[in-house]
Amino acid sequence: MGSSSQGSAAVAAARVDLCALDLMPVFAKEMIAGGVAGAFSKTAIAPLERVKILLQTRTNEFGSLGVLKSLKKVRQHDGIKGFYKGNGASVLRIIPYAALHFMAYERYRCWILNNCPSLGTGPLVDLLAGSASGGTAVLCTYPLDLARTKLAFQVNSSDQLSRALKRASPQPTYGGIMDVFRGVYSEGGVRALYRGVGPTLMGILPYAGLKFYIYEGLKAHVPDDYKNSVTLKLSCGAAAGLFGQTLTYPLDVVRRQMQVQNQQQNGQFGGPRITGTFQGLIAIKQTQGWRQLFAGLSLNYIKVVPSVAIGFTAYDTVKHFLKIPPREK
């Protein structure tokens, strides 16, 4: 008797959950799917992301080490936890960023299809919707990206070179995300929290657009029987990430160096202060060499493949779990 009543209660609870899921707006489901996808992909490649930031910014200490030696140095000075320094800020940023990015992409895509029929329904729509959604997500979450970069920039170094660099160019030490916000805000107010947002937007607009353009374009040429294949989604996502990152990577280097340069000092890297995107590209080329514009790119290739692939695959999987209707409907 008791087991029968418990079974009935479980069925009733399941029906309530099902009804709640059905009543949830589609845009909310899309945000949940995007947030889950972002958290999965970002955590999976956190150690590579940390080393990439160090290669881009700490050129004197890490510029000549390469990927494997940099990973060993981080582990030597910071331990295993060092691989995930700044990952808390990264995940806190990527969840709202990915949620907004994917949801805004779906909304912008729907709006373009309904209001601009002359553009058709092909990959061009994905390019425009992806670019607009990337810009929207960046503007809403950029301070968290700034905090992530500043936390990842810190290394508990004990060698003589590191101590000499700290004396010559001291940087504040941050204990967490809120500590970064307080310190940066005291330097220059709200504007300081968006330092480097120009190169970010210039990089993310084409990258986000190309990412969706390539991913959706490749999927459109695949037979219907294979479109739900996880291997196919991973392959399409990897191709989209590799191509998009190659074209926009120098802008990412400019953004990182703008984020970590000290507000009260001239040139963190021995050259003029970076104040804008094109000025930053020229300054880095003149003072650090053109190779610095691609510092960490090989590592980025390694991390972009799983990151974008996992992101797109997780998004499509969670969309299916949440019973989000196909775009055609």
Side-chain angles (χ1 to χ4, degrees):
M1 188 74 175
S3 61
S4 177
S5 62
Q6 291 176 354
S8 300
V11 171
R15 287 176 179 171
V16 170
D17 291 340
L18 182 61
C19 292
L21 187 61
D22 291 338
L23 292 173
M24 186 181 298
V26 173
F27 78 87
K29 294 180 182 180
E30 291 167 349
M31 292 188 73
I32 292 173
V36 171
F40 266 100
S41 63
K42 187 58 69 174
T43 302
I45 51 89
L48 297 175
E49 179 69 16
R50 174 87 199 282
V51 170
K52 187 197 80 168
I53 292 175
L54 293 174
L55 287 172
Q56 288 179 329
T57 57
R58 285 184 174 268
T59 56
N60 291 322
E61 296 173 83
F62 290 86
S64 61
L65 294 182
V67 176
L68 293 179
K69 289 183 179 180
S70 295
L71 287 168
K72 290 179 180 179
K73 183 168 183 175
V74 171
R75 186 177 184 278
Q76 177 183 353
H77 291 296
D78 294 336
I80 297 297
K81 290 183 178 180
F83 291 132
Y84 294 91
K85 181 178 287 186
N87 189 55
S90 184
V91 171
L92 282 177
R93 166 192 168 268
I94 203 62
I95 289 177
Y97 173 85
L100 286 169
H101 191 18
F102 281 103
M103 184 275 291
Y105 162 74
E106 302 285 2
R107 299 302 100 202
Y108 284 133
R109 187 178 188 276
C110 182
W111 185 90
I112 293 172
L113 291 173
N114 290 333
N115 295 276
C116 305
S118 60
L119 295 176
T121 59
L124 178 59
V125 175
D126 297 306
L127 179 68
L128 296 175
S131 296
S133 63
T136 300
V138 163
L139 290 175
C140 292
T141 62
Y142 186 80
L144 287 170
D145 182 60
L146 179 70
R148 183 272 301 262
T149 300
K150 284 186 173 293
L151 289 171
F153 178 74
Q154 297 177 160
V155 178
N156 297 325
S157 302
S158 57
D159 53 65
Q160 293 181 354
L161 174 61
S162 298
R163 290 198 298 268
L165 286 170
K166 284 185 177 181
R167 287 194 298 269
S169 180
Q171 287 279 335
T173 301
Y174 300 108
I177 299 172
M178 296 306 298
D179 195 21
V180 174
F181 287 161
R182 283 191 292 267
V184 173
Y185 183 81
S186 66
E187 291 177 2
V190 175
R191 186 175 181 178
L193 292 171
Y194 282 86
R195 186 184 304 143
V197 74
T200 302
L201 286 174
M202 291 195 66
I204 200 64
L205 292 178
Y207 172 63
L210 285 169
K211 186 171 66 172
F212 281 101
Y213 176 88
I214 296 170
Y215 181 74
E216 297 295 340
L218 291 174
K219 281 179 61 180
H221 289 84
V222 173
D224 292 339
D225 294 341
Y226 297 96
K227 284 189 175 180
N228 291 324
S229 167
V230 173
T231 302
L232 171 72
K233 293 176 181 177
L234 288 170
S235 301
C236 292
L242 284 170
F243 186 75
Q245 277 289 299
T246 302
L247 295 179
T248 62
Y249 191 78
L251 296 172
D252 188 51
V253 175
V254 175
R255 168 172 65 110
R256 296 299 185 195
Q257 293 203 11
M258 285 185 73
Q259 287 177 335
V260 299
Q261 66 185 358
N262 196 306
Q263 183 81 1
Q264 283 78 35
Q265 296 179 8
N266 295 324
Q268 170 69 25
F269 303 95
R273 172 171 296 281
I274 298 175
T275 58
T277 304
F278 294 109
Q279 179 265 343
L281 290 170
I282 295 172
I284 292 173
K285 179 180 180 297
Q286 291 178 343
T287 60
Q288 303 171 48
W290 66 268
R291 290 179 181 272
Q292 182 59 29
L293 292 172
F294 295 91
L297 180 58
S298 60
L299 177 61
N300 218 43
Y301 283 144
I302 298 172
K303 84 179 187 65
V304 159
V305 171
S307 176
V308 179
I310 291 171
F312 274 119
T313 304
Y315 178 66
D316 285 342
T317 302
V318 178
K319 277 177 63 179
H320 178 74
F321 175 78
L322 294 176
K323 299 180 179 179
I324 297 176
R327 289 173 183 149
E328 292 76 10
K329 299 182 179 180

